[in-house]
Amino acid sequence: MAAYLQWRRFVFFDRETVKEPPGPDGGGGKPFGLPPGIAVCDSGRGSLVFGDMEGQIWFLPRSLQLSSFQAYKLRVTHLYQLKQHSILVSVGEDEEGINPLVKVWNLEKRDGGNPLCTRIFPAIPGNKPTVVSCLTVHENLNFMAIGFADGSVVLTKGDITRDRHSKTQILHEGSYPVTGLAFRQSGKTTHLFVVTTENIQSYMLSVKDYPHLELDTHGCGLRCSSLSDPSQDLQFIVAGNECVYLYQPDERGPCFAFEGQKLIVHWYRGYLIIVSKDRKTSPKSEFAGNEAQNSDKQVLNIYDLCNKFIAYSSIFDDIVDVLAEWGSLYVLTRDGKIHVLQEKDTQTKLEMLFRKNLFEMAINLAKSHHLDSDGLSEIFRQYGDHLYNKGNHDGAIQQYIRTIGKLEPSYVIRKFLDAQRIHNLTAYLQTLHLQSLANADHTTLLLNCYTKLKDSSKLEEFIKTSESEVRFDVETAIKVLRQAGYYSHAVYLAEKHAHHEWYLKIQLEDIKNYQEALRYIGKLPFDQAESNMKRYGKILMHHVPNETTELLKILCTDYRANSEEFIPVFANNSRELKAFLEHMTEVQADSPQGVYDTLLELRLQNWAHEQDEQIKEKLHNEALTLLKSGRFRTVFDKALVLCQMHNFKDGVLYLYEQGKLFQQIMHYHMQNEQYKKVIEVCELYGDQEACLWEQALGYFARKEEDCKEYIAAVLKHIENKNLMPPLLVVQTLAHNSTATLSVIKDYLVNKLQKQSRQIEQDEQRIQKYREETTRIRQEIEELKASPKIFQKTKCSICTSALELPSVHFLCGHSFHQHCFESYSESDSECPTCMPENRKVMDMIRAQEQKRDLHDQFQHQLKCSNDGFSVVADYFGRGVFNKLTLITDLPPGKAATTIEAGLQRELLIHAKRST
């Protein structure tokens, strides 16, 4: 039971008297007066509805323009205006005696200017004349209940607006007057509360036979019951003189100790409105429901049952009823005046509570008024500020926590940065993270709070939440923990949330656990393992070389990583690098070129620094074998430089040979004065590069020691191949003081003999050409001066007997006309002689053109200031290219062969034509 005396009182309503509207003349301002004789009233559908003792029903709209119609002949005793329908139900009398009539009015339809009365029936239970005490109608228009002074309740089920579609029956009979009725609809279940002066019962109307349950053994007076709204779970309110009771359909609910004789009870927007006698001005009546005397003062209290305070309290003179319409409360008094109670807005009510530092009550009020989260947050902030200023930091931080998500966290954090308030700051930051509203700075601050407090348990609880519940920036947490020296916690976070770089950084730089770091890398996906080995491989190689090398072998073998990219990891670890590279060349013959280059360099280094002869020989063979593997064709220069740097002679010579650098091979032997090797090189490669013999002769010619044997060998080859003019040979050997005439005597004698024989052959050829020329000139003269007799009997193409018409040429060839037309390319040339003639003409034209180019070249060369540019220009135009002209037939192919070929082609052509 809640004692109302402990409840605070507020003035959350403004009281005014309703004034008359201004008239055409500008008048008005007087209190509005109701017509006399008002007996009952109700509200809804935009009007206040009154019934008087003359049988009239009055309507008062918001414009205060009263209207009425005659509903009964005598009086109106009860009214019920539905809220969701324009239906008004009234009870009144048309004649003297106990014969009340129920009338149902449709306010939207008119009958002669009045609302349409859709139904009339007598309100008497059976044949017992009795007075109607109360009336209620269900908003679905399917139920209507009428209570009587003899304790009876009549229930009308069906369409209450029509006689045909409804059924009336006595629901309840008792010995005590019925003082209140109320329908309660919950889902598809309908209950009817029935209260008398002595008990309270509930009927279930949605079940056949209407089972009922007695809820209590005390009742209330007339107009002292009501049904709450959903905010109080549609409870039935019964106001006794000592307490106010709330009921569910199957049990009694809470009770409130509101003393005083209750006259009127209403429920309005979450408020309980009670009109009771003023105890200060009149004695307490023994009977509930007795009407107050005219001199009585009455108290109207508006209770907020949820928040436990009195929202308004005021004294009125003789209240007729309290109605709710147009968002306000209207209090009707016996003197005909109407007083309006307008509720203050929420912000005004909150400010009133703030001025009294009633923040808890303000919070509850805001929640009950469904204030948005921004408004609630502002209340929490003000409450927190109030507690903070009073020094209640624990209470303040609890209010500030409730502002999370609305209030900027820095507002709170700045207040609690003092070391003595670190516990409060920690609590706030924890909640900030739980709501996933913390940023990186908040995470840093919270972790610093944990470390300052040395609260390892809270720290572990914070970081060991499941991954789906992480409400902080993990990377920031790792940084803070690492900086504070909580390496194990930082490593835990890094591993759990796959921050591989941080995990490895802490393990390698702080904990120095190289084995664990290597194990961790080995478990990572290939891409991440590869990148981290490139980043940390040198550190791991320095501390755990063998294990690191094995992991690299696995990465580059099983996962096909680029082994060349890991070579820098092996800095200062040549032994492990050599093992790694040899492994890669064995398992992957197509390893990158850098692998072979590095392996060659390592083998050459080992060979160059090795002192043991046997081991040195083994290393020599390994290096040479690698060179001969064929992996250095594309990087010939690099391999050559490596061999030269380490003075690996066999490798250098091998690469010279592979690169066809025969002159370099010979120069290499010349530098080492290996005369026999020089001769061997000339013999091996002289056919591919003839200048080797010339260079060898010059080399031996410059030697002062006795090289007659080698000079003789070189001269012999030069003579056989005719590589040098004799004069140049003599000039070359003139530089050698030891080379006497005897050295070149045989060479010169043989050379002179060959030249003599060549001269004889040239003279014989010249004589032959002269004779041929004379003969040809004679033939030309004969052709010019003498007649030519054509005696050929066969065609020179098809070798068949000539027939007319035929074609004859001065060269002596004759042809059938059709053969000539088929094979000739020109009407004036002999098809047989034409190929040979063309060769001769091409030679003549080439010689003329060459002669012209030569003369032009010589002229430009003499006149030009830049002779090199002229030479380059003519070289690009092909002037110096060797011109090869085929003037003779290949050996064994005579003219008869050509003729036979022509005949064969002719025959083949003839066969195809047929």
Side-chain angles (χ1 to χ4, degrees):
M1 179 180 292
Y4 83 100
L5 294 177
Q6 299 176 358
W7 290 15
R8 288 184 173 269
R9 294 174 180 267
F10 300 99
V11 183
F12 285 167
F13 286 80
D14 295 321
R15 174 177 172 177
E16 293 181 0
T17 302
V18 176
K19 303 293 178 51
E20 291 182 356
D25 56 355
K30 296 180 180 180
F32 182 85
L34 289 173
I38 296 297
V40 292
C41 54
D42 202 354
S43 63
R45 307 300 291 180
S47 297
L48 304 182
V49 186
F50 311 109
D52 63 13
M53 299 301 294
E54 303 296 330
Q56 293 188 87
I57 295 179
W58 298 79
F59 295 96
L60 181 65
R62 197 164 191 175
S63 62
L64 302 182
Q65 301 295 326
L66 269 173
S67 62
S68 65
F69 72 95
Q70 191 71 37
Y72 294 90
K73 296 178 180 179
L74 293 181
R75 66 184 65 88
V76 181
T77 59
H78 296 83
L79 290 175
Y80 191 94
Q81 172 67 57
L82 275 78
K83 304 301 184 288
Q84 299 177 16
H85 304 276
S86 295
I87 300 295
L88 175 66
V89 180
S90 62
V91 178
E93 299 175 6
D94 280 343
E95 58 184 33
E96 293 292 345
I98 304 177
N99 56 352
L101 291 177
V102 177
K103 295 185 180 181
V104 181
W105 308 90
N106 188 334
L107 303 181
E108 292 182 347
K109 297 181 179 181
R110 312 305 271 178
D111 181 14
N114 296 331
L116 176 65
C117 182
T118 62
R119 184 179 181 186
I120 303 176
F121 64 93
I124 296 178
N127 295 319
K128 300 177 182 179
T130 182
V131 177
V132 174
S133 58
C134 52
L135 166 70
T136 187
V137 182
H138 199 294
E139 286 293 333
N140 64 10
L141 300 179
N142 285 326
F143 291 103
M144 179 169 58
I146 304 174
F148 296 90
D150 67 351
S152 302
V153 175
V154 173
L155 176 69
T156 300
K157 183 179 181 182
D159 188 351
I160 64 167
T161 63
R162 300 180 182 180
D163 290 326
R164 292 182 181 179
H165 300 89
S166 64
K167 179 181 179 182
T168 301
Q169 65 183 92
I170 298 176
L171 177 69
H172 172 81
E173 290 183 325
S175 303
Y176 306 104
V178 177
T179 56
L181 296 170
F183 287 108
R184 182 183 189 273
Q185 186 70 39
S186 178
K188 296 182 178 180
T189 303
T190 304
H191 286 88
L192 175 64
F193 290 101
V194 178
V195 57
T196 66
T197 56
E198 299 296 332
N199 60 19
I200 303 169
Q201 300 186 54
S202 70
Y203 285 83
M204 183 179 290
L205 302 183
S206 52
V207 177
K208 190 177 181 181
D209 299 331
Y210 307 141
H212 68 280
L213 177 67
E214 186 175 43
L215 301 177
D216 218 330
T217 56
H218 61 79
C220 66
L222 284 173
R223 300 198 299 170
C224 290
S225 63
S226 182
L227 190 71
S228 70
D229 58 22
S231 67
Q232 281 290 335
D233 199 21
L234 297 174
Q235 297 184 89
F236 187 55
I237 301 169
V238 176
N241 289 337
E242 300 296 332
C243 298
V244 173
Y245 302 92
L246 277 67
Y247 296 91
Q248 294 283 357
D250 55 353
E251 61 180 353
R252 193 176 84 175
C255 173
F256 299 92
F258 300 149
E259 295 181 357
Q261 182 180 351
K262 313 300 185 303
L263 302 176
I264 300 173
V265 173
H266 284 296
W267 186 265
Y268 168 74
R269 289 188 176 180
Y271 292 113
L272 176 62
I273 302 168
I274 296 180
V275 177
S276 57
K277 281 190 175 183
D278 185 0
R279 291 179 297 171
K280 295 180 182 179
T281 59
S282 61
K284 183 177 178 181
S285 174
E286 296 180 359
F287 300 100
N290 289 346
E291 293 186 1
Q293 301 299 321
N294 293 337
S295 61
D296 285 346
K297 296 289 184 179
Q298 297 170 354
V299 179
L300 184 146
N301 288 322
I302 301 177
Y303 298 95
D304 188 327
L305 300 184
C306 291
N307 300 309
K308 306 292 189 297
F309 64 81
I310 299 174
Y312 182 77
S313 180
S314 182
I315 297 176
F316 291 86
D317 290 330
D318 205 356
I319 297 175
V320 175
D321 208 341
V322 179
L323 303 178
E325 191 65 25
W326 311 311
S328 301
L329 287 174
Y330 292 86
V331 181
L332 281 63
T333 54
R334 188 65 60 186
D335 57 6
K337 294 180 180 180
I338 302 177
H339 306 271
V340 59
L341 300 180
Q342 291 182 333
E343 187 177 5
K344 298 178 184 293
D345 62 85
T346 303
Q347 189 59 40
T348 302
K349 290 189 284 186
L350 292 176
E351 290 175 357
M352 295 172 64
L353 295 174
F354 293 158
R355 285 196 293 270
K356 297 181 180 181
N357 294 326
L358 299 175
F359 293 98
E360 285 290 352
M361 187 169 288
I363 292 169
N364 294 332
L365 178 65
K367 288 181 178 178
S368 64
H369 283 60
H370 305 290
L371 195 66
D372 60 20
S373 56
D374 291 334
L376 281 172
S377 176
E378 179 59 22
I379 299 174
F380 297 145
R381 182 196 65 78
Q382 294 188 38
Y383 192 14
D385 291 347
H386 170 72
L387 295 175
Y388 182 87
N389 294 330
K390 289 176 61 177
N392 184 0
H393 298 127
D394 292 341
I397 203 66
Q398 293 304 317
Q399 297 306 317
Y400 287 135
I401 286 174
R402 299 167 80 177
T403 68
I404 289 176
K406 298 298 180 181
L407 181 63
E408 172 60 38
S410 60
Y411 178 88
V412 179
I413 292 172
R414 284 196 298 268
K415 292 178 177 290
F416 293 89
L417 284 176
D418 189 285
Q420 296 179 352
R421 301 168 189 167
I422 194 171
H423 291 87
N424 302 130
L425 180 58
T426 303
Y428 179 80
L429 292 171
Q430 282 176 337
T431 308
L432 198 64
H433 282 80
L434 286 174
Q435 297 187 19
S436 302
L437 296 173
N439 59 28
D441 293 333
H442 301 148
T443 301
T444 301
L445 191 56
L446 178 58
L447 292 174
N448 282 328
C449 289
Y450 284 143
T451 56
K452 294 291 183 184
L453 295 171
K454 300 188 183 301
D455 194 343
S456 297
S457 61
K458 283 286 186 181
L459 184 59
E460 289 190 7
E461 180 183 351
F462 178 74
I463 67 174
K464 290 186 177 180
T465 54
S466 64
E467 188 169 352
S468 61
E469 297 175 355
V470 173
R471 299 180 176 90
F472 57 88
D473 185 79
V474 176
E475 188 170 2
T476 300
I478 294 172
K479 291 179 183 177
V480 176
L481 291 171
R482 184 191 183 200
Q483 186 177 7
Y486 286 79
Y487 301 128
S488 60
H489 296 78
V491 165
Y492 170 82
L493 271 183
E495 183 174 12
K496 179 181 179 182
H497 298 283
H499 285 264
H500 310 308
E501 293 184 12
W502 280 109
Y503 181 90
L504 295 171
K505 189 185 291 289
I506 296 170
Q507 288 284 13
L508 295 173
E509 297 178 8
D510 302 321
I511 304 177
K512 310 292 185 184
N513 192 342
Y514 305 104
Q515 290 282 4
E516 178 60 27
L518 194 65
R519 178 200 64 80
Y520 187 82
I521 293 176
K523 296 193 307 179
L524 293 177
F526 167 68
D527 292 340
Q528 297 173 1
E530 181 184 29
S531 62
N532 281 291
M533 280 305 294
K534 291 176 182 177
R535 183 177 290 110
Y536 302 110
K538 289 184 180 179
I539 299 175
L540 294 170
M541 184 63 67
H542 178 71
H543 294 281
V544 280
N546 293 333
E547 293 84 349
T548 304
T549 303
E550 291 304 315
L551 179 57
L552 287 175
K553 288 180 180 179
I554 294 172
L555 285 177
C556 296
T557 303
D558 296 342
Y559 297 99
R560 306 294 292 182
N562 189 345
S563 52
E564 183 178 5
E565 296 178 356
F566 291 102
I567 292 176
V569 170
F570 292 88
N572 303 320
N573 292 81
S574 58
R575 181 175 61 85
E576 285 75 15
L577 176 58
K578 184 172 180 290
F580 172 72
L581 296 176
E582 289 177 344
H583 169 78
M584 295 311 301
T585 56
E586 290 174 3
V587 298
Q588 289 183 6
D590 59 343
S591 294
Q593 185 60 42
V595 172
Y596 288 94
D597 295 343
T598 308
L599 181 57
L600 175 62
E601 185 176 2
L602 282 175
R603 287 184 176 180
L604 292 175
Q605 285 179 355
N606 294 339
W607 171 81
H609 295 90
E610 184 57 51
Q611 301 298 325
D612 189 302
E613 290 299 327
Q614 291 184 350
I615 299 177
K616 193 176 185 72
E617 180 64 24
K618 179 183 177 183
L619 295 173
H620 175 278
N621 294 334
E622 289 179 352
L624 196 58
T625 301
L626 183 59
L627 276 175
K628 294 180 179 181
S629 64
R631 297 294 305 185
F632 298 93
R633 293 190 182 96
T634 58
V635 288
F636 172 83
D637 294 340
K638 186 184 292 187
L640 183 59
V641 169
L642 289 174
C643 292
Q644 289 172 341
M645 286 173 56
H646 297 89
N647 197 23
F648 190 60
K649 298 179 180 179
D650 290 347
V652 171
L653 292 174
Y654 172 77
L655 291 172
Y656 280 160
E657 182 180 357
Q658 293 299 306
K660 299 186 182 302
L661 301 176
F662 307 129
Q663 295 187 43
Q664 282 79 351
I665 296 175
M666 189 171 68
H667 290 163
Y668 183 86
H669 291 310
M670 288 177 179
Q671 290 174 359
N672 292 280
E673 296 186 346
Q674 297 174 333
Y675 302 149
K676 290 184 178 180
K677 292 288 186 181
V678 172
I679 299 297
E680 290 178 2
V681 170
C682 292
E683 291 175 346
L684 288 172
Y685 311 116
D687 293 340
Q688 300 180 50
E689 198 162 348
C691 64
L692 293 177
W693 290 104
E694 300 173 12
Q695 293 176 9
L697 180 63
Y699 169 72
F700 289 122
R702 286 188 294 272
K703 292 293 181 183
E704 293 301 324
E705 58 265 25
D706 188 5
C707 297
K708 294 179 181 180
E709 177 184 354
Y710 305 109
I711 292 174
V714 173
L715 287 174
K716 183 177 180 181
H717 192 84
I718 289 175
E719 178 189 356
N720 293 336
K721 298 294 184 178
N722 194 23
L723 299 177
M724 294 175 65
L727 182 58
L728 184 58
V729 172
V730 173
Q731 290 176 348
T732 302
L733 291 175
H735 296 288
N736 192 328
S737 60
T738 62
T740 60
L741 186 59
S742 61
V743 175
I744 61 172
K745 182 181 67 173
D746 294 339
Y747 167 76
L748 292 175
V749 170
N750 293 335
K751 197 67 178 176
L752 290 172
Q753 289 176 352
K754 287 183 178 180
Q755 289 183 353
S756 296
R757 290 194 293 270
Q758 184 65 38
I759 291 171
E760 291 178 358
Q761 292 175 1
D762 291 343
E763 289 177 349
Q764 291 175 4
R765 191 174 293 109
I766 289 170
Q767 183 62 33
K768 180 181 177 182
Y769 286 158
R770 287 175 178 172
E771 293 175 355
E772 183 68 22
T773 300
T774 302
R775 184 185 61 80
I776 291 174
R777 286 176 177 172
Q778 290 176 356
E779 288 183 0
I780 292 172
E781 289 297 327
E782 290 179 359
L783 290 173
K784 290 181 178 181
S786 303
K788 180 68 173 177
I789 301 174
F790 299 102
Q791 295 179 341
K792 285 275 188 175
T793 59
K794 292 184 179 181
C795 177
S796 297
I797 292 179
C798 65
T799 67
S800 300
L802 284 174
E803 296 177 355
L804 294 176
S806 58
V807 180
H808 305 276
F809 286 90
L810 293 176
C811 61
H813 295 106
S814 300
F815 308 93
H816 293 114
Q817 185 175 359
H818 63 272
C819 290
F820 173 74
E821 291 175 352
S822 300
Y823 283 89
S824 68
E825 297 180 6
S826 173
D827 295 341
S828 60
E829 291 188 79
C830 173
T832 303
C833 298
M834 185 176 62
E836 188 66 23
N837 293 338
R838 284 189 177 178
K839 291 178 183 178
V840 175
M841 294 304 294
D842 289 341
M843 288 176 62
I844 294 172
R845 282 193 296 269
Q847 289 174 355
E848 292 176 352
Q849 183 181 9
K850 195 169 186 181
R851 183 182 67 246
D852 294 341
L853 283 173
H854 180 267
D855 294 342
Q856 186 179 3
F857 169 70
Q858 291 294 336
H859 175 72
Q860 292 185 6
L861 189 61
K862 289 178 182 179
C863 298
S864 176
N865 295 326
D866 186 1
F868 179 79
S869 298
V870 176
V871 174
D873 178 52
Y874 275 83
F875 186 82
R877 292 160 59 185
V879 173
F880 303 108
N881 293 345
K882 185 178 180 181
L883 182 61
T884 302
L885 296 177
I886 302 175
T887 58
D888 297 324
L889 292 172
K893 189 169 184 181
T896 55
T897 306
I898 295 177
E899 293 179 355
L902 291 173
Q903 292 176 3
R904 184 167 56 253
E905 291 180 5
L906 183 61
L907 290 173
I908 293 173
H909 179 72
K911 289 180 180 180
R912 288 178 179 172
S913 299
T914 57

